[in-house]
Amino acid sequence: MRISTTLMTTTAAIVLSAGAALSAELEFYFPVGVNAPAVATIQELTDAWAAKNPQHNVKAVYAGNYEETTTKALTAATAGNPPHVAVLLATDIFTLVEEDVVIPITDVASSEEDQVWLDGFYKGFMKDATLDGKIYGVPFQRSTPVLYYNKDAFAEAGLDPETPPKTWDEMIEMGKKLVKKDANGNVTQWGTRIPTLGLGGAWLYGGLVISNGSQLSADNGVDVAIDTPEAIGALEFLTRLSEEGVMAPGGISWGDTPKAFVEQNAATIWTSTGNLAFVNDNAEFDWGVGFLPGGKGPGAPVGGGNFYIFKETTDEERAAALDFIKFMATPENAAKWSIATGYIAPRADTWETPVMKEYAAKLPQALVARDQIQYANREFATFQRGRVTQFLVEAIESTIDGKADPAEALAEAQKKADAVLDAYK
């Protein structure tokens, strides 16, 4: 994704007349670079809301990636000029609440009808939208990682192209058959590619831990379980993939992984369902999607962003912000967004629309991530998320680089995390 801080705006004329609805000036932060393909769709939806609500002004700010968008939103809030509504990481809930810059959605969506609406979102996506019994976020740009696999490569290797690996052992067994080498013994196609660097690597590692029967962090944002036997086993599995020649040694980046798949440098990859559209547009071979192969069973982390309403807003602005969120979450609009990007439509009613049923019939791979939600759990997230997650990232990367033992690296990360989080207990 190309990162840009350029602002794109859409402004509807303000219609003021006797009896007209109170107007609001909305600033909407969205986590994407201005030249990213998703901009056209989100701009179209923003324009459509503005056309339906000419009494309001709305300015869409395309603020770069998630981290940049959160930083800009917090900086603006500190300066007394926050956005009114923003899509930010679900894992940012602890930071946003600690900084006291957002309000519970239920402070605005407080009617019985609103509660029915909120109950319509998948429970798996509401886990990280809630803190201390209050709902702070509305799921929108949500995802889980899934296994993408090259069906043609499976058939060529003598594997069933309709049966991707379901367990870690199957990943290694099948992966060895999928490795290709040239006449000089150089690998031209790896059996699998799982990003291990940075935040993307930590996200996928969390899925390994979930499938192995544990959870890296608790719902309270304070308690972490980084050095459990299940977590150690997950990191040992990652190193085993390279040791047995199934995956390239050393750190693997997030951004290059979808490209490696469509260029057939890897027969299987782990990446976000948000890459469905890219793979579908660029893969020149038959491909499929499966659940993440698990240690003790299926398991995956949820990811992506939620809508938040900021605190320093008027009643009129909050009401307009909620109306904007509801508009974006309607079945028709959520379907349009999901089809354009590959993100999971976060409500069951969206999947019942004719356009979504047609999309799923043409691209059944899109149904896998939705069906995997029942086995998913919240992403690793805590107070002081940046600092604490970095401890986990360092443990993973040092182990993958062969500089540390998995158990020792995770024990050190646990110790550092506890030192930071003890202040919140």
Side-chain angles (χ1 to χ4, degrees):
M1 180 183 292
R2 181 179 173 187
I3 295 171
S4 171
T5 57
T6 306
L7 303 186
M8 288 185 64
T9 65
T10 176
T11 306
I14 299 177
V15 178
L16 294 176
S17 62
L22 290 173
S23 64
E25 301 277 342
L26 288 188
E27 191 168 55
F28 164 43
Y29 276 25
F30 189 73
V32 68
V34 71
N35 293 315
V39 163
T41 303
I42 205 68
Q43 188 66 49
E44 179 185 346
L45 294 173
T46 303
D47 288 344
W49 182 82
K52 287 174 64 71
N53 295 274
Q55 73 274 24
H56 301 311
N57 276 1
V58 57
K59 180 172 71 172
V61 179
Y62 301 111
N65 64 21
Y66 275 121
E67 299 297 326
E68 291 173 323
T69 304
T70 299
T71 297
K72 289 172 183 176
L74 289 173
T75 300
T78 300
N81 186 34
H84 302 90
V85 61
V87 173
L88 304 173
L89 280 172
T91 53
D92 279 331
I93 185 172
F94 301 108
T95 299
L96 296 170
V97 171
E98 181 180 11
E99 295 294 331
D100 196 27
V101 296
V102 296
I103 61 170
I105 291 292
T106 43
D107 282 5
V108 188
S110 56
S111 69
E112 290 185 11
E113 181 182 353
D114 290 332
Q115 186 58 57
V116 171
W117 172 68
L118 289 169
D119 288 342
F121 290 91
Y122 287 126
K123 298 295 185 263
F125 289 144
M126 294 303 290
K127 291 179 182 178
D128 54 12
T130 305
L131 181 61
D132 294 334
K134 297 179 180 179
I135 298 172
Y136 282 88
V138 175
F140 178 66
Q141 184 166 289
R142 300 311 307 266
S143 63
T144 69
V146 290
L147 172 83
Y148 293 73
Y149 70 102
N150 183 330
K151 290 187 176 184
D152 290 352
F154 269 57
E156 185 180 346
L159 299 170
D160 183 353
E162 301 304 322
T163 307
K166 295 180 174 62
T167 67
W168 293 353
D169 288 340
E170 287 181 355
M171 269 201 72
I172 291 177
E173 179 185 350
M174 293 183 185
K176 289 178 178 179
K177 296 178 181 179
L178 292 164
V179 173
K180 285 184 179 181
K181 296 182 180 180
D182 62 20
N184 297 318
N186 299 311
V187 175
T188 58
Q189 175 181 277
W190 290 98
T192 196
R193 180 184 173 100
I194 302 176
T196 53
L197 298 176
L199 296 177
W203 186 45
L204 295 179
Y205 170 69
L208 288 165
V209 176
I210 291 168
S211 82
N212 208 28
S214 187
Q215 177 70 23
L216 289 171
S217 59
D219 294 347
N220 60 12
V222 174
D223 298 311
V224 296
I226 297 172
D227 63 349
T228 62
E230 293 82 5
I232 294 169
L235 193 48
E236 288 174 341
F237 169 69
L238 278 179
T239 62
R240 185 179 162 206
L241 286 170
S242 296
E243 291 168 354
E244 301 209 21
V246 175
M247 188 166 76
I252 293 177
S253 67
W254 175 269
D256 295 337
T257 295
K259 183 172 180 286
F261 181 66
V262 300
E263 292 180 351
Q264 301 185 62
N265 300 134
T268 71
I269 62 169
W270 290 28
T271 191
S272 169
T273 183
N275 284 314
L276 274 174
F278 172 82
V279 172
N280 192 47
D281 290 344
N282 292 281
E284 297 180 353
F285 50 83
D286 194 11
W287 59 282
V289 171
F291 288 0
L292 296 184
K296 296 178 181 177
V302 294
N306 292 335
F307 275 108
Y308 296 93
I309 295 177
F310 277 68
K311 188 173 184 178
E312 295 301 320
T313 47
T314 66
D315 289 343
E316 292 78 18
E317 289 165 345
R318 293 179 183 184
L322 178 62
D323 188 74
F324 179 75
I325 293 169
K326 286 184 174 181
F327 177 82
M328 291 295 197
T330 61
E332 295 75 20
N333 290 334
K336 182 176 293 186
W337 177 244
S338 180
I339 291 168
T341 62
Y343 285 104
I344 305 171
R347 297 174 56 88
D349 55 10
T350 301
W351 294 92
E352 295 302 317
T353 61
V355 67
M356 203 64 176
K357 287 182 177 180
E358 181 181 356
Y359 167 66
K362 292 180 179 178
L363 191 67
Q365 296 95 324
L367 297 173
V368 175
R370 181 201 67 179
D371 296 342
Q372 188 179 232
I373 296 172
Q374 63 183 306
Y375 304 110
N377 213 321
R378 66 184 308 141
E379 182 180 356
F380 181 69
T382 65
F383 288 101
Q384 297 290 317
R385 182 179 68 85
R387 290 181 64 194
V388 176
T389 304
Q390 186 59 31
F391 302 145
L392 180 63
V393 168
E394 290 169 356
I396 296 168
E397 293 183 356
S398 63
T399 300
I400 293 300
D401 288 340
K403 298 177 181 178
D405 170 80
E408 293 177 355
L410 292 173
E412 181 66 17
Q414 178 77 46
K415 179 180 177 181
K416 290 179 178 178
D418 285 341
V420 171
L421 297 172
D422 275 349
Y424 293 86
K425 294 182 179 179

